[in-house]
Amino acid sequence: MTEVTQPALTIDALGKKCPIPIIMLAEQINYVPLNAVVAVLADDPAAYTDVPAWCRLKSHRHVGSYELPEGGWAIHVRRNY
Amino acid sequence: MSLVAYFDAASSEPLHPQAREALLAAIDVGWADPARLYGQARRAHLLLEQARTEVAEALGARPDEVSFTSSGTQAVHLGVLGTLHGRRRTGRHLVTSAVEHSSVLHAGGVHERDGGTVETVGVDLTGRVDLDTFAAAVGRPGTALACLQTANHEVGTLQPVAEAAAACRAHGVPLLVDAAQTAGRMPIPPGWSVLTASAHKWGGPAGVGVLVVRKGTRFRSFLPEDERERRRVPGFENVPGIVAAAAALRAMAAEAAQEQARISELVGKIRETLPKVVEDVEVIGDPDDRAPHIVTFSCLYVDGEALLTELDKAGFAVSSGSSCTASTLRPSHVLEAMGVLTHGNVRVSLPRGVSAAEVDRFLAVLPEMVRRIRQDAGVA
């Protein structure tokens, strides 16, 4: 089992529809140091696909998506550059 | 010149002029019950059987293998559930790809609720099914049916149908091929046992689908008994619609080599130009191994509904797989399965006769539209 890195920043995008969670992530990923993890909390089903797709397009790393007890996911992204 | 550039042929191809002509003529002479034995009925019967022969020829089938349904969706429902029912003694396992049309997936859902099992095989980033996994799934004991589309309806990627059919044949499993997006545009790949298609996607009228069941394939309708269409499809045939559908298929197929090649070039141009003129755009699907008329792309940080609205105002009819444009508020299952961006999604699908100027105008107005929507959303 891989250990979940503690996020350096958590973006609360719960209740927000795509593309807003992605826009928030693109803006705020630069606030954390290189190799740090940003957690995006989102419950729009589109975010579950779109955050990893954004990572692929922008060459950041999708670490994993973890279900939240209240619904939605914490989607972890590692800043690569 | 029409004011709206119609770029939604994958939803419905405009009625072919030859289909319109055939429809009007057949409405006058093909209204009687083709199952009866008087003059008007024999006339309707003759028209129906002539259309059946023409459709069979265009699809590479025998006339007695062809049944007409009321839609492509109905053809899929009947084809999937009828084949599963016919082979229930062999097993109750169904194999499909994750990017099939919803009619296939929903028929699979009914089968599952009825105690059957379904294996959904994933796709790669271009939307092509994983052939090795598909072949392995088909080889599982108790597999009654496998389903694969010729081309994906949302992204245009062609599926490896001939290879999948070979795997199915090796295990004695029938393959249902959903040819809705390519019938009339491309040759039907070989190896299918059951074939489905929809007339309004090849320039025929709505209300006509085709279900072809290869001789020797076990098939039994799960619906109440009805003697129409070799007991495969219940209800009185839509003879005028079927006649028009056959005329459209013949006309479309006759001009396909030239016209679809021209359309495919326009799609190629859109695929190549978009990343040069729009920042942060993902053009989706296989660039080469694709249906001639479909291209899909997603614009990062753009609300799909806003983009569709702007395109509509500018006179472009397109569709989208973004969740905000769906009644379910879920993104398209195809885009999800591929793992590509689902927001800011636009599908362009070009009809026959589309002008290169319309495509150029689309490419000219889109960049500014995307820029404005991003600006309004506060994207730097």
Side-chain angles (χ1 to χ4, degrees):
Chain A
M1 220 179 113
T2 49
E3 207 171 296
V4 177
T5 312
Q6 208 52 38
L9 175 71
T10 297
I11 299 171
D12 183 359
L14 291 167
K16 296 200 162 53
K17 298 282 171 209
C18 271
I20 294 166
I22 311 294
I23 294 174
M24 293 168 82
L25 171 61
E27 239 171 40
Q28 296 181 35
I29 194 156
N30 296 324
Y31 300 170
V32 304
L34 284 185
N35 295 317
V37 167
V38 177
V40 183
L41 309 185
D43 51 12
D44 179 8
Y48 186 81
T49 304
D50 285 14
V51 173
W54 179 86
C55 291
R56 178 173 50 75
L57 292 171
K58 290 290 171 187
S59 305
H60 289 295
R61 183 156 166 260
H62 171 233
V63 181
S65 301
Y66 313 98
E67 267 180 47
L68 298 172
E70 66 271 30
W73 307 268
I75 311 172
H76 287 200
V77 175
R78 190 182 296 278
R79 182 180 171 190
N80 269 356
Y81 57 90
Chain B
M1 192 186 131
S2 92
L3 293 173
V4 174
Y6 182 77
F7 287 176
D8 198 18
S11 291
S12 195
E13 171 78 22
L15 193 67
H16 195 288
Q18 292 192 29
R20 185 174 184 277
E21 209 174 290
L23 183 63
L24 293 176
I27 279 173
D28 287 334
V29 294
W31 49 271
D33 185 345
R36 300 290 169 258
L37 296 172
Y38 37 79
Q40 297 100 319
R42 278 197 295 271
R43 186 72 202 268
H45 177 76
L46 203 68
L47 286 171
L48 175 61
E49 293 315 311
Q50 202 176 331
R52 196 185 310 279
T53 302
E54 286 172 12
V55 168
E57 202 177 297
L59 299 179
R62 292 170 28 157
D64 63 353
E65 295 172 335
V66 174
S67 301
F68 292 106
T69 65
S70 63
S71 68
T73 290
Q74 194 199 27
V76 167
H77 289 170
L78 296 172
V80 171
L81 296 175
T83 312
L84 286 169
H85 192 42
R87 285 176 48 83
R88 68 196 181 288
R89 289 209 187 94
T90 310
R92 305 211 61 202
H93 190 55
L94 169 69
V95 176
T96 79
S97 89
V99 297
E100 295 303 304
H101 186 260
S102 57
S103 56
V104 173
L105 302 179
H106 288 154
V110 167
H111 176 62
E112 248 178 340
R113 284 194 291 282
D114 194 35
T117 53
V118 179
E119 183 166 352
T120 307
V121 179
V123 298
D124 65 15
L125 207 54
T126 71
R128 181 170 295 104
V129 72
D130 182 329
L131 189 59
D132 291 342
T133 310
F134 194 87
V138 165
R140 186 178 139 178
T143 300
L145 176 68
C147 300
L148 191 60
Q149 61 199 182
T150 51
N152 184 264
H153 50 295
E154 289 187 30
V155 303
T157 298
L158 294 180
Q159 300 294 351
V161 171
E163 294 85 343
C168 286
R169 194 164 46 246
H171 295 286
V173 172
L175 178 67
L176 181 149
V177 171
D178 170 14
Q181 282 306 335
T182 60
R185 291 188 166 86
M186 303 175 81
I188 305 287
W192 51 268
S193 297
V194 181
L195 185 74
T196 59
S198 171
H200 73 92
K201 305 233 193 251
W202 70 53
V208 180
V210 180
L211 169 65
V212 194
V213 180
R214 266 280 188 249
K215 210 166 164 51
T217 307
R218 291 190 78 91
F219 184 93
R220 193 170 168 199
S221 175
F222 59 98
L223 291 173
E225 203 165 287
D226 192 276
E227 78 278 13
R228 304 268 168 183
E229 295 297 296
R230 289 163 223 285
R231 298 177 184 269
R232 286 177 191 146
V233 188
F236 189 100
E237 295 92 344
N238 172 7
V239 176
I242 290 167
V243 168
L249 182 57
R250 202 178 46 211
M252 193 84 161
E255 64 198 23
Q258 274 204 339
E259 178 62 359
Q260 297 303 317
R262 186 184 73 87
I263 287 172
S264 183
E265 263 182 52
L266 293 174
V267 161
K269 182 179 187 180
I270 296 173
R271 294 191 67 101
E272 276 168 36
T273 309
L274 277 177
K276 293 178 193 157
V277 296
V278 180
E279 213 182 317
D280 284 330
V281 69
E282 181 176 30
V283 183
I284 291 163
D286 195 296
D288 305 309
D289 224 1
R290 57 171 171 79
H293 59 306
I294 301 174
V295 49
T296 299
F297 57 92
S298 293
C299 303
L300 205 50
Y301 315 129
V302 167
D303 175 5
E305 193 179 11
L307 187 51
L308 245 55
T309 305
E310 288 305 308
L311 282 167
D312 181 45
K313 274 195 241 165
F316 292 101
V318 299
S319 78
S320 169
S322 293
S323 53
C324 49
T325 68
S327 52
T328 55
L329 292 179
R330 278 199 69 90
S332 125
H333 71 273
V334 173
L335 303 179
E336 277 186 334
M338 293 168 68
V340 295
L341 218 55
T342 72
H343 71 257
N345 180 259
V346 172
R347 178 186 70 183
V348 168
S349 53
L350 304 178
R352 66 178 280 282
V354 67
S355 82
E358 285 175 324
V359 170
D360 288 342
R361 185 168 77 87
F362 178 79
L363 291 170
V365 303
L366 189 76
E368 175 58 18
M369 232 174 242
V370 170
R371 199 193 59 75
R372 216 167 41 233
I373 293 169
R374 282 177 178 156
Q375 193 176 37
D376 291 349
V379 179

